[in-house]
Amino acid sequence: MLQESSVDSSGSRFAPLVVLELASDTKEEAIAWLLSRIRDWQQNGGAELLVEQLGPGIGVEEKENPNMFLVGASMQRLLCGAEDLGLFKECTDGSMRAFTFASKHNFKDFKGDGDGFLSMAECQYVIKHELDTLRAKEETNVPGYSHAKLYPGKSIIRRLLSKGILIQMFPLHENEELKRLSFSWYKKVKVSLQPLDDIRHYYGEGQALYFGFLEYFTFALVPMALIGVPYYLFDWEDYDKYVVFAVFNLIWCTVILELWKRRSASLAYYWGTLCRKKAFEEPRPGFHGVLGHNPVTGRAEPIYPTSKRHLRVYLVSLPFVLLCLYLSLYIMMIYFQMEGWALSIYDENPTFWTHILLFIPSIIYAVVIEAMNLIYRYAAEFLTEWENHRLESSYQNHLVLKVLVFNFFNCFASLFYIAFVMQDMELLRQSLATLLITSQILNQFMEAFLPYWLQRRRNKKMIRKIQKRRLYEEKELPLVEQVRLEADMSTYLGTFDDYLELFLLFGYVSLFSCVFPLAAVLVVLNNITEVYSDAFKMCRVFKRPFADPAANIGVWQLAFEAMSVIAVVTNCALIGMSPQVRSYFPESETQLILCTVAAEHVLLGFKFILTFLIQDVPKHIQDKLARLEFESLEALKKKLLEKSFPPKVIL
Amino acid sequence: MLQESSVDSSGSRFAPLVVLELASDTKEEAIAWLLSRIRDWQQNGGAELLVEQLGPGIGVEEKENPNMFLVGASMQRLLCGAEDLGLFKECTDGSMRAFTFASKHNFKDFKGDGDGFLSMAECQYVIKHELDTLRAKEETNVPGYSHAKLYPGKSIIRRLLSKGILIQMFPLHENEELKRLSFSWYKKVKVSLQPLDDIRHYYGEGQALYFGFLEYFTFALVPMALIGVPYYLFDWEDYDKYVVFAVFNLIWCTVILELWKRRSASLAYYWGTLCRKKAFEEPRPGFHGVLGHNPVTGRAEPIYPTSKRHLRVYLVSLPFVLLCLYLSLYIMMIYFQMEGWALSIYDENPTFWTHILLFIPSIIYAVVIEAMNLIYRYAAEFLTEWENHRLESSYQNHLVLKVLVFNFFNCFASLFYIAFVMQDMELLRQSLATLLITSQILNQFMEAFLPYWLQRRRNKKMIRKIQKRRLYEEKELPLVEQVRLEADMSTYLGTFDDYLELFLLFGYVSLFSCVFPLAAVLVVLNNITEVYSDAFKMCRVFKRPFADPAANIGVWQLAFEAMSVIAVVTNCALIGMSPQVRSYFPESETQLILCTVAAEHVLLGFKFILTFLIQDVPKHIQDKLARLEFESLEALKKKLLEKSFPPKVIL
């Protein structure tokens, strides 16, 4: 299964899994020390992995980094690592259980030495975990680097990363499997579902869940798109009719999120991540503080008081975010003023040039929005870094929250203003259509084709360079070149931007699609191309990312649910404003508003009840989980009974 | 620690913990079979407990039930049972860990054989669990009762209970400790906190959490009462001023519930129930269905399809509840009509008799409400029983939900009607005061003094009867009489009614106290007397209940939180209706309503954010839990490392 390689420097063969790239000027003693620690026995506190230097490439005329290392491990080491990580695998009886080396033959697909039992992504995840938990012993600093301080228990790799000695650590692609995957994923022309299991096999659960969600979201939109088309064709000018569509929206956005939770739990169960116990999370590389002792592990670790972090979050970050929101609203108001001003000029003097002038404010506003999003994103990253979160998960949550709130405001504030302050449904429809279509085109371009084009240019350069030296008969690049090529590829920064895009699309559809029924159709089309472009960029543009054994889509579930609550409120307000509903309350506006508010409260209440009624995990999976739990309790009881001896007196 | 007894029938001494009362006409063979199964070794599927028949009492002239049995166990059996149940106890290092017999000397207060290590309540809980899980082997029916079917794995005690062969099973009181507890709890005159740890020691965690919540709720009300008194004294007629109070209410009801979660987690941690793994729940005694196999345990068990239960819940119970709510509203409308009618008669002809007539509708309505609550309670119990829930917890949740919704409507509908339809704040204040004061007096009477009086009469009768036969010098009753006396005491039916009462009081305070600031003062007074009357009835009126190792107040937390959401909405509406706020929007009522609704949405959003921000478990306890988790992971890893052998090749 793993690609065989013959590395020049040594005669032995091993399957390289992960690449470590050290700075080209790293001192010899530091390299020797690192390699010895990686190769050392586990009993001595080493990682017991195989590691080798990458041989020189062909294009040596350019300055190539000589300090690239391939890391691998024996199959047994990998299996022990998998047990250590508590990976869940399928047993011969179809249930999912934590893998243990002792009971290895109870697991499905375990044959012989276990070759092919773990996927390459899992092997790479094991190696990453082993490297990450390689800890300093008595060393006070990295040999040769007196400023790279170490203390007993500090993760060596994280210190090397934070000091810039280790440039990057990435898993290798597997060309054969990648070809197969990309063929079944995006090269086939026939319409079919995505190969989620294969994606999970190659990229891990986090990626697969994203593509699963993308697919699910697309299918969930189909009924809406189907209703939207006739609506659009026959009722285009009949604003009155949007009430039915708003009611549909309202139910739709609640139900699909609940059902996704069930689907996600199903997927995570069969991928073995639903009930995997997470290992204790290490502090993230950038975390700093006074050296103290972690209250949980007892290990030496930087300590940063929570109260200080709270002060930073609530006294600096929160006001900053609020200020940015205010700025965003302010710029929106300027846009509307400019639009009004352009309109008045056109009304006064309707020539060709003044007609063109009408478009200027929108264009300026769109550009400003994009620029603000970009600047804000950097500011948010800087601030969240500065908040000094101990855990990567906590860092991510704070970053997502900041970016989400601002993007929501930036993208939707103008629509809300048009809908509820200007109450101009015609303008709302136009703005929505423009926003949807332009953002779609921009996104696809920025996300996939631009990086691909850049990558392609780089690849071509390299291939040409190689061909200058030797003429290869085989099309395949040799491993050494392949590794250097991959090291130059862009790093995939996670699913953040992809989810953010889906989040905004979900917002467009659930909030305002009742006034622009074609929105769902556009989003479906967008999602279909998104699948292809995302698949393409994963396979061809980026370095392979490490697998991320996620059990759900995490904080995004919450974000989508918050959006669905906002959607209920918005749709109720739109219904209340519709001429159709207004006609029922001809004399009293107060009564109309009170009825709308009452209906909205009932719907929100109903939504929360629905959240309770629809179980997050399907019954048959609950049963399976309960069965695992029950079995472990029974096993404990049995052990107890065997241990205990009979009491002395029996009446 | 356990009370010593000398039982007539056998020479041996053992500490009786639990009493089993079989029907007086139980067949000999059934008794012999049951006793042998209880005494049998665990290896043979028995319970390995000590059991003895209770000797005849003194008052034999009356028909006494001869089939009463005392159950106890050796200390070692109890300790093994505690390990089996996964009871958490405090270690010598102050942390809470699951008790294991092997590591018994690591636990605090473990001395010698372990006498006094488990509280009597814990011993009784162990015995109850052992009896409950005593299962049929090959028997097809209870000997001598061909209609009492058994199948392998069926709990014997539950079958005997459901067939009426076993009348009751209850734990014995412990007179010395009860005296000490009741002295420190309610007999002392000095003001002090309740002895929660002692209550937990004697009655278990469920009871202690109820009293803890009652105490917490009372303290939480104190600031409100302190603000309420000057409000009442100086602003009595100034309805304008209630806005400040409503705002205070709104924040108060959110914050106290969040803080209670933290306090409850703290208590549960130190009582060892926070992270105890629950054993697999058995079907409740009344559950019936076709014999099949449980998908989780694989044991034979009645199976009842979930779809059928859903049909019963949604097609019968739900419409019934809605019908009852409609009826309740209908009767409320009749009450208001009667009131209007009485008022019109009085206005026409204001004499003494017509003045009296004014009170008639309120009195009739109050009586009807009480009667409806009572009838509905029976109906709800019947329906929930008929829904055939497999688990006691699910039965309880459905019952609580039904009763809660109806009681809420019955008690608050008239207040909502007065507040928002009639908009008569003066009447609202009067109704609230009347409702609070009368319900308080009625409750205290019905709950404690009436049962106590009945119990006292019964006790006196018995003591007189005994004194007729012999003249006892000692004041203490002999064990035999004590057991028979306790068997005759009423059975405590759980904390349901107590929580329901608190829930309604919480409703009165959080919903409408801004118009009647004395409400908090009244509720504080009520709670203080409630502590005494509840403590009194627990100690003197009822049989001792089995401990219930609860980790939180369960479904009631949810109920109180739902009430606090309703309180936010109600208080916002009251604020919007206040003349003070109205004066800001002199020309436009629409704008007033829109502003109120907007403010309400912001507050609701803020409330939910607050729920996320305030962590449910205090940080230091989270750390302790994480430490336990981490230690078990590390132990596993160490075991793994010892097991694994070095790989063959090292580069």
Side-chain angles (χ1 to χ4, degrees):
Chain A
M1 178 209 121
L2 301 175
Q3 60 197 64
E4 294 289 319
S5 78
S6 52
V7 181
D8 315 28
S9 59
S10 111
S12 76
R13 289 166 148 245
F14 81 101
L17 291 164
V18 170
V19 177
L20 288 177
E21 183 176 359
L22 298 177
S24 56
D25 59 349
T26 309
K27 293 188 181 140
E28 285 295 326
E29 52 198 302
I31 296 179
W33 168 75
L34 177 63
L35 295 189
S36 79
R37 287 304 314 273
I38 292 178
R39 286 173 182 151
D40 202 2
W41 302 78
Q42 277 189 286
Q43 285 92 324
N44 302 340
E48 222 169 291
L49 300 175
L50 311 176
V51 60
E52 243 172 46
Q53 191 155 16
L54 187 73
I58 300 145
V60 272
E61 92 273 24
E62 275 183 74
K63 270 174 209 148
E64 260 181 355
N65 185 350
N67 293 329
M68 292 184 74
F69 297 90
L70 299 173
V71 185
S74 70
M75 188 42 66
Q76 183 169 5
R77 179 73 191 85
L78 291 172
L79 291 174
C80 287
E83 175 170 357
D84 187 11
L85 271 168
L87 287 192
F88 269 63
K89 301 291 279 181
E90 193 178 351
C91 285
T92 40
D93 66 347
S95 64
M96 303 294 304
R97 276 158 217 273
F99 175 75
T100 60
F101 196 77
S103 63
K104 59 190 172 193
H105 292 294
N106 294 342
F107 287 85
K108 212 178 138 186
D109 301 328
F110 195 97
K111 285 174 206 107
D113 285 345
D115 255 359
F117 177 67
L118 298 174
S119 72
M120 188 168 169
E122 280 167 337
C123 294
Q124 288 167 336
Y125 184 67
V126 167
I127 294 215
K128 174 172 189 282
H129 176 255
E130 295 299 338
L131 287 175
D132 268 347
T133 54
L134 182 63
R135 294 175 193 290
K137 292 189 290 190
E138 287 82 37
E139 301 94 333
T140 55
N141 57 283
V142 176
Y145 295 86
S146 57
H147 66 285
K149 293 267 178 295
L150 288 173
Y151 46 83
K154 171 72 189 173
S155 160
I156 291 172
I157 293 292
R158 296 201 168 205
R159 172 57 81 230
L160 293 176
L161 263 176
S162 69
K163 289 296 171 190
I165 303 168
L166 178 62
I167 297 173
Q168 60 177 349
M169 171 165 89
F170 63 91
L172 279 171
H173 267 299
E174 194 184 1
N175 284 325
E176 276 310 305
E177 207 181 323
L178 186 61
K179 248 182 221 163
R180 238 177 300 130
L181 175 65
S182 59
F183 182 76
S184 68
W185 199 0
Y186 66 90
K187 284 190 180 160
K188 255 190 319 190
V189 185
K190 90 176 211 298
V191 178
S192 66
L193 297 179
Q194 292 177 82
L196 286 185
D197 285 327
D198 295 341
I199 299 171
R200 178 238 159 189
H201 196 260
Y202 194 83
Y203 287 109
E205 291 77 17
Q207 282 297 323
L209 273 176
Y210 164 70
F211 284 102
F213 183 67
L214 178 56
E215 184 175 289
Y216 173 83
F217 180 43
T218 313
F219 277 107
L221 279 169
V222 168
M224 204 179 237
L226 288 181
I227 299 178
V229 173
Y231 233 87
Y232 178 80
L233 294 178
F234 304 116
D235 278 323
W236 174 237
E237 292 304 318
D238 196 355
Y239 304 135
D240 293 16
K241 299 285 171 59
Y242 72 66
V243 172
V244 184
F245 210 82
V247 172
F248 176 81
N249 256 359
L250 214 147
I251 298 165
W252 175 83
C253 66
T254 304
V255 171
I256 63 150
L257 287 178
E258 283 304 308
L259 294 184
W260 164 251
K261 267 195 237 160
R262 291 170 69 90
R263 170 144 174 82
S264 148
S266 263
L267 288 175
Y269 175 76
Y270 289 112
W271 293 342
T273 53
L274 189 61
C275 43
R276 194 167 88 78
K277 266 188 195 153
K278 280 208 184 114
F280 186 77
E281 233 181 313
E282 296 284 317
R284 55 192 301 269
F287 178 66
H288 55 86
V290 182
L291 200 63
H293 286 272
N294 184 299
V296 175
T297 60
R299 284 194 200 123
E301 189 183 291
I303 299 288
Y304 188 79
T306 318
S307 56
K308 262 193 184 170
R309 185 176 311 123
H310 279 321
L311 282 182
R312 290 187 172 189
V313 170
Y314 294 115
L315 295 187
V316 180
S317 296
L318 186 65
F320 175 79
V321 173
L322 293 178
L323 192 78
C324 287
L325 295 183
Y326 176 76
L327 207 74
S328 156
L329 288 183
Y330 193 77
I331 285 172
M332 185 193 77
M333 295 315 295
I334 294 177
Y335 155 65
F336 282 115
Q337 270 176 11
M338 272 166 64
E339 192 133 275
W341 170 74
L343 205 65
S344 69
I345 290 182
Y346 175 75
D347 283 346
E348 265 176 36
N349 181 18
T351 67
F352 173 74
W353 293 109
T354 51
H355 188 78
I356 294 256
L357 190 69
L358 276 182
F359 291 94
I360 301 290
S362 308
I363 293 168
I364 294 176
Y365 184 53
V367 171
V368 169
I369 277 191
E370 282 299 311
M372 279 172 73
N373 274 347
L374 212 69
I375 296 170
Y376 179 82
R377 177 70 182 269
Y378 283 111
E381 273 173 16
F382 174 80
L383 266 182
T384 317
E385 185 73 50
W386 177 73
E387 282 163 18
N388 198 14
H389 293 278
R390 204 184 82 86
L391 300 181
E392 183 64 30
S393 59
S394 150
Y395 171 85
Q396 284 297 335
N397 287 351
H398 278 257
L399 182 62
V400 167
L401 189 68
K402 282 196 192 72
V403 174
L404 219 62
V405 169
F406 187 77
N407 271 270
F408 179 81
F409 254 74
N410 234 1
C411 294
F412 294 111
S414 63
L415 296 178
F416 275 104
Y417 189 81
I418 297 171
F420 297 116
V421 180
M422 299 166 69
Q423 307 205 354
D424 183 344
M425 292 301 144
E426 182 58 39
L427 184 60
L428 181 60
R429 176 177 299 173
Q430 276 173 21
S431 304
L432 191 60
T434 321
L435 263 171
L436 254 178
I437 294 168
T438 48
S439 79
Q440 209 162 307
I441 293 170
L442 263 176
N443 258 319
Q444 300 287 350
F445 179 74
M446 296 282 287
E447 223 182 87
F449 297 109
L450 193 67
Y452 173 65
W453 182 71
L454 291 174
Q455 186 61 38
R456 216 183 142 87
R457 272 190 51 191
R458 227 179 297 158
N459 281 16
K460 274 202 180 139
K461 228 200 248 166
M462 188 161 226
I463 289 170
R464 230 177 291 131
K465 201 167 61 188
I466 294 164
Q467 281 173 340
K468 255 193 233 158
R469 307 230 128 208
R470 303 190 215 166
L471 282 166
Y472 272 90
E473 302 306 305
E474 335 100 294
K475 281 177 191 166
E476 299 268 321
L477 281 172
L479 180 75
V480 179
E481 297 304 322
Q482 181 64 34
V483 170
R484 291 194 187 276
L485 202 65
E486 284 183 29
D488 280 343
M489 284 168 112
S490 319
T491 303
Y492 181 66
L493 293 172
T495 46
F496 188 106
D497 289 293
D498 298 320
Y499 276 119
L500 184 62
E501 198 188 329
L502 285 189
F503 174 75
L504 295 178
L505 290 177
F506 179 71
Y508 288 126
V509 173
S510 60
L511 294 176
F512 294 112
S513 70
C514 62
V515 295
F516 179 50
L518 271 193
V521 180
L522 286 177
V523 174
V524 167
L525 290 178
N526 175 70
N527 281 1
I528 291 171
T529 55
E530 181 85 23
V531 167
Y532 284 93
S533 68
D534 281 352
F536 180 75
K537 85 178 180 198
M538 288 304 303
C539 293
R540 302 293 299 271
V541 179
F542 289 115
K543 275 193 205 74
R544 183 176 189 168
F546 278 109
D548 151 35
N552 49 51
I553 61 173
V555 66
W556 292 101
Q557 180 77 38
L558 222 68
F560 278 82
E561 271 166 28
M563 180 67 96
S564 86
V565 171
I566 298 172
V568 169
V569 178
T570 310
N571 278 296
C572 282
L574 286 175
I575 293 171
M577 279 164 49
S578 74
Q580 212 180 3
V581 171
R582 266 169 205 258
S583 64
Y584 286 110
F585 301 91
E587 68 288 334
S588 160
E589 199 175 21
T590 309
Q591 219 176 350
L592 165 71
I593 296 173
L594 287 179
C595 284
T596 310
V597 170
E600 185 231 335
H601 279 75
V602 170
L603 281 168
L604 281 179
F606 184 69
K607 190 178 154 63
F608 283 106
I609 292 172
L610 211 65
T611 314
F612 273 98
L613 284 187
I614 300 182
Q615 286 175 316
D616 288 359
V617 178
K619 186 79 179 65
H620 68 280
I621 289 179
Q622 274 180 20
D623 278 352
K624 280 178 182 156
L625 296 182
R627 189 170 177 85
L628 267 191
E629 187 85 351
F630 176 76
E631 276 174 9
S632 77
L633 277 176
E634 285 295 291
L636 206 76
K637 220 164 163 178
K638 215 172 161 187
K639 224 167 71 187
L640 229 113
L641 198 58
E642 282 162 10
K643 234 173 30 188
S644 79
F645 30 100
K648 286 142 214 159
V649 191
I650 292 185
L651 289 169
Chain B
M1 177 208 123
L2 301 175
Q3 59 197 64
E4 294 290 319
S5 79
S6 53
V7 181
D8 314 30
S9 60
S10 112
S12 75
R13 287 166 148 245
F14 80 101
L17 290 164
V18 171
V19 177
L20 288 177
E21 182 176 1
L22 299 178
S24 56
D25 57 351
T26 310
K27 292 184 182 147
E28 285 295 325
E29 51 197 303
I31 296 179
W33 167 76
L34 176 64
L35 295 190
S36 78
R37 286 304 313 273
I38 293 179
R39 286 172 182 154
D40 204 359
W41 301 78
Q42 276 188 286
Q43 285 92 323
N44 303 341
E48 222 169 291
L49 300 174
L50 310 176
V51 58
E52 243 172 48
Q53 191 154 19
L54 187 74
I58 299 145
V60 272
E61 92 273 21
E62 273 183 76
K63 270 173 212 152
E64 259 180 356
N65 185 352
N67 293 329
M68 291 184 74
F69 296 90
L70 300 172
V71 185
S74 70
M75 188 43 67
Q76 182 169 5
R77 179 73 191 84
L78 289 172
L79 291 173
C80 287
E83 176 170 357
D84 187 12
L85 271 168
L87 286 191
F88 270 63
K89 300 291 278 181
E90 193 177 352
C91 286
T92 41
D93 66 347
S95 64
M96 304 294 304
R97 276 158 217 273
F99 174 74
T100 60
F101 196 77
S103 64
K104 58 192 173 192
H105 292 295
N106 295 341
F107 287 85
K108 212 179 139 187
D109 301 328
F110 194 98
K111 286 175 206 106
D113 286 344
D115 254 0
F117 177 67
L118 298 174
S119 72
M120 188 167 170
E122 281 168 336
C123 294
Q124 289 167 337
Y125 185 67
V126 167
I127 294 213
K128 173 173 190 281
H129 176 255
E130 296 298 338
L131 287 175
D132 269 346
T133 54
L134 183 62
R135 293 174 194 292
K137 293 189 289 189
E138 287 82 37
E139 300 95 333
T140 54
N141 57 284
V142 177
Y145 294 87
S146 57
H147 65 286
K149 293 267 179 293
L150 288 173
Y151 45 83
K154 172 71 189 174
S155 160
I156 291 172
I157 293 292
R158 295 201 168 204
R159 172 57 81 231
L160 292 176
L161 264 176
S162 69
K163 290 295 171 188
I165 302 168
L166 178 63
I167 297 173
Q168 60 177 347
M169 171 166 89
F170 64 91
L172 279 171
H173 267 300
E174 194 184 0
N175 284 325
E176 277 309 306
E177 207 181 323
L178 186 61
K179 251 183 219 162
R180 239 178 299 132
L181 175 66
S182 59
F183 182 76
S184 68
W185 198 0
Y186 66 91
K187 284 192 179 158
K188 256 191 317 190
V189 185
K190 90 175 212 297
V191 178
S192 66
L193 297 179
Q194 294 176 82
L196 286 184
D197 285 326
D198 296 341
I199 298 171
R200 178 237 160 190
H201 196 261
Y202 194 83
Y203 286 110
E205 291 76 18
Q207 281 297 323
L209 272 176
Y210 164 70
F211 284 102
F213 182 67
L214 178 56
E215 185 175 286
Y216 173 83
F217 180 43
T218 311
F219 277 107
L221 279 170
V222 167
M224 203 178 236
L226 288 181
I227 300 178
V229 172
Y231 234 86
Y232 178 80
L233 293 177
F234 303 117
D235 279 323
W236 174 237
E237 291 304 319
D238 197 355
Y239 304 135
D240 294 17
K241 300 283 172 62
Y242 71 67
V243 173
V244 184
F245 210 82
V247 173
F248 176 81
N249 255 0
L250 213 146
I251 298 165
W252 175 83
C253 67
T254 302
V255 171
I256 62 150
L257 287 179
E258 282 305 309
L259 294 183
W260 163 251
K261 267 195 236 159
R262 290 169 69 90
R263 170 142 174 82
S264 149
S266 263
L267 288 175
Y269 175 76
Y270 290 111
W271 293 342
T273 52
L274 189 61
C275 42
R276 194 166 87 79
K277 267 189 195 152
K278 281 209 184 113
F280 186 77
E281 231 180 316
E282 297 283 318
R284 55 192 300 270
F287 179 66
H288 55 85
V290 182
L291 201 63
H293 285 272
N294 184 298
V296 175
T297 60
R299 284 193 201 123
E301 190 183 291
I303 299 288
Y304 188 78
T306 318
S307 57
K308 261 192 183 172
R309 185 176 311 123
H310 280 321
L311 282 182
R312 289 185 174 189
V313 170
Y314 294 115
L315 295 186
V316 179
S317 296
L318 187 66
F320 174 79
V321 172
L322 293 178
L323 192 78
C324 287
L325 295 183
Y326 177 75
L327 206 74
S328 156
L329 288 182
Y330 193 79
I331 285 171
M332 184 193 79
M333 295 316 295
I334 293 176
Y335 155 65
F336 282 114
Q337 270 176 10
M338 274 166 63
E339 194 134 272
W341 170 73
L343 207 65
S344 69
I345 289 182
Y346 176 74
D347 283 346
E348 266 176 36
N349 181 19
T351 68
F352 173 74
W353 292 108
T354 52
H355 187 76
I356 295 253
L357 191 68
L358 276 182
F359 291 95
I360 301 290
S362 309
I363 293 167
I364 293 176
Y365 185 54
V367 172
V368 168
I369 277 191
E370 282 298 312
M372 278 171 73
N373 273 349
L374 212 69
I375 296 169
Y376 179 81
R377 177 70 182 268
Y378 283 110
E381 274 172 15
F382 174 79
L383 267 182
T384 316
E385 186 73 49
W386 177 73
E387 282 164 18
N388 199 15
H389 294 277
R390 204 184 81 87
L391 301 180
E392 184 64 29
S393 59
S394 149
Y395 171 85
Q396 284 296 336
N397 288 351
H398 278 257
L399 182 62
V400 167
L401 188 69
K402 282 196 192 71
V403 173
L404 219 62
V405 169
F406 187 77
N407 271 269
F408 179 81
F409 253 75
N410 234 1
C411 294
F412 295 111
S414 63
L415 295 177
F416 276 104
Y417 189 82
I418 295 171
F420 298 116
V421 181
M422 298 166 71
Q423 307 204 352
D424 184 344
M425 293 300 146
E426 183 59 38
L427 185 60
L428 181 60
R429 176 176 299 173
Q430 276 173 21
S431 303
L432 191 61
T434 320
L435 263 171
L436 255 179
I437 294 168
T438 48
S439 79
Q440 210 162 307
I441 293 170
L442 262 177
N443 259 318
Q444 300 286 351
F445 179 75
M446 296 282 287
E447 225 182 86
F449 298 108
L450 192 67
Y452 172 65
W453 182 71
L454 290 174
Q455 186 62 37
R456 215 182 143 86
R457 272 190 52 192
R458 227 179 299 158
N459 282 15
K460 274 201 179 142
K461 226 201 250 166
M462 188 160 224
I463 289 170
R464 227 177 295 129
K465 203 167 59 190
I466 294 164
Q467 282 174 338
K468 253 193 236 161
R469 307 227 129 212
R470 304 190 215 165
L471 283 165
Y472 273 90
E473 304 305 304
E474 335 100 292
K475 279 178 191 164
E476 299 268 322
L477 280 173
L479 179 75
V480 179
E481 297 304 322
Q482 181 65 35
V483 170
R484 290 193 188 276
L485 203 65
E486 284 184 28
D488 280 344
M489 283 169 114
S490 319
T491 304
Y492 181 65
L493 293 172
T495 47
F496 188 106
D497 289 294
D498 298 320
Y499 276 118
L500 183 62
E501 198 189 329
L502 285 188
F503 174 76
L504 295 177
L505 289 176
F506 179 72
Y508 288 126
V509 173
S510 60
L511 294 176
F512 295 112
S513 70
C514 61
V515 295
F516 180 51
L518 271 194
V521 180
L522 285 177
V523 173
V524 167
L525 290 178
N526 175 70
N527 281 0
I528 292 170
T529 55
E530 180 85 23
V531 167
Y532 285 93
S533 68
D534 279 352
F536 180 76
K537 84 179 180 198
M538 287 305 302
C539 293
R540 303 294 299 271
V541 178
F542 289 115
K543 273 192 205 83
R544 182 176 190 167
F546 277 109
D548 150 35
N552 49 51
I553 62 172
V555 66
W556 292 101
Q557 180 77 38
L558 222 68
F560 278 83
E561 272 166 26
M563 180 68 96
S564 86
V565 172
I566 298 172
V568 169
V569 177
T570 309
N571 278 296
C572 282
L574 286 174
I575 293 170
M577 278 163 50
S578 75
Q580 211 179 3
V581 171
R582 263 168 206 259
S583 63
Y584 286 108
F585 301 92
E587 70 289 333
S588 160
E589 198 175 21
T590 308
Q591 219 175 349
L592 165 71
I593 295 173
L594 286 179
C595 284
T596 311
V597 170
E600 184 231 337
H601 279 76
V602 170
L603 280 168
L604 281 179
F606 184 69
K607 189 178 155 64
F608 282 107
I609 292 172
L610 210 67
T611 313
F612 274 98
L613 286 186
I614 301 182
Q615 286 175 317
D616 289 358
V617 178
K619 184 80 178 66
H620 68 280
I621 289 179
Q622 273 179 21
D623 278 353
K624 281 179 183 155
L625 296 182
R627 188 168 177 87
L628 268 192
E629 186 84 354
F630 176 75
E631 276 174 10
S632 77
L633 277 176
E634 285 295 291
L636 206 75
K637 220 164 162 177
K638 215 172 162 187
K639 224 167 69 187
L640 228 111
L641 199 57
E642 282 162 12
K643 234 173 31 188
S644 78
F645 31 99
K648 285 143 214 160
V649 190
I650 293 186
L651 290 170

